[in-house]
Amino acid sequence: MLRKVSYVFPNVSDIRQRGSLYDRWILAEKYNCDYIEVPADFIKNKTEIQKTGLGICEFLDKKAIATLYQDFQ
């Protein structure tokens, strides 16, 4: 039985950490990747604390991702 192999487009350093998820998806499609690695790790600084209401080193929730990434729906 043949299985389709899925590939993940990695979080590469050329893309801004808190940037466009859509831009990542376009690159993933270009390289035939089915998924994108999203760098949604932890709150890193005072600006992110103010924007999200979360504390330093807290994991991003859905609301925080929508706030920090420009095109998350």
Side-chain angles (χ1 to χ4, degrees):
M1 177 168 133
L2 294 176
R3 288 187 163 182
K4 181 183 179 226
V5 176
S6 295
Y7 295 96
V8 176
F9 187 79
N11 177 32
V12 294
S13 62
D14 291 348
I15 301 174
R16 282 189 36 226
Q17 171 109 20
R18 307 276 197 227
S20 170
L21 298 177
Y22 180 74
D23 291 346
R24 286 177 167 81
W25 186 251
I26 294 299
L27 287 169
E29 286 184 331
K30 178 180 175 181
Y31 295 102
N32 297 314
C33 296
D34 297 311
Y35 303 96
I36 57 173
E37 180 184 0
V38 179
D41 47 350
F42 301 99
I43 297 297
K44 297 178 183 287
N45 55 50
K46 290 179 186 178
T47 301
E48 292 183 359
I49 292 170
Q50 292 170 345
K51 285 183 176 182
T52 65
L54 298 173
I56 195 77
C57 294
E58 283 193 56
F59 194 75
L60 303 183
D61 57 19
K62 189 172 183 174
K63 184 178 175 188
I65 293 169
T67 300
L68 297 175
Y69 288 93
Q70 65 190 27
D71 52 11
F72 181 79
Q73 297 177 353

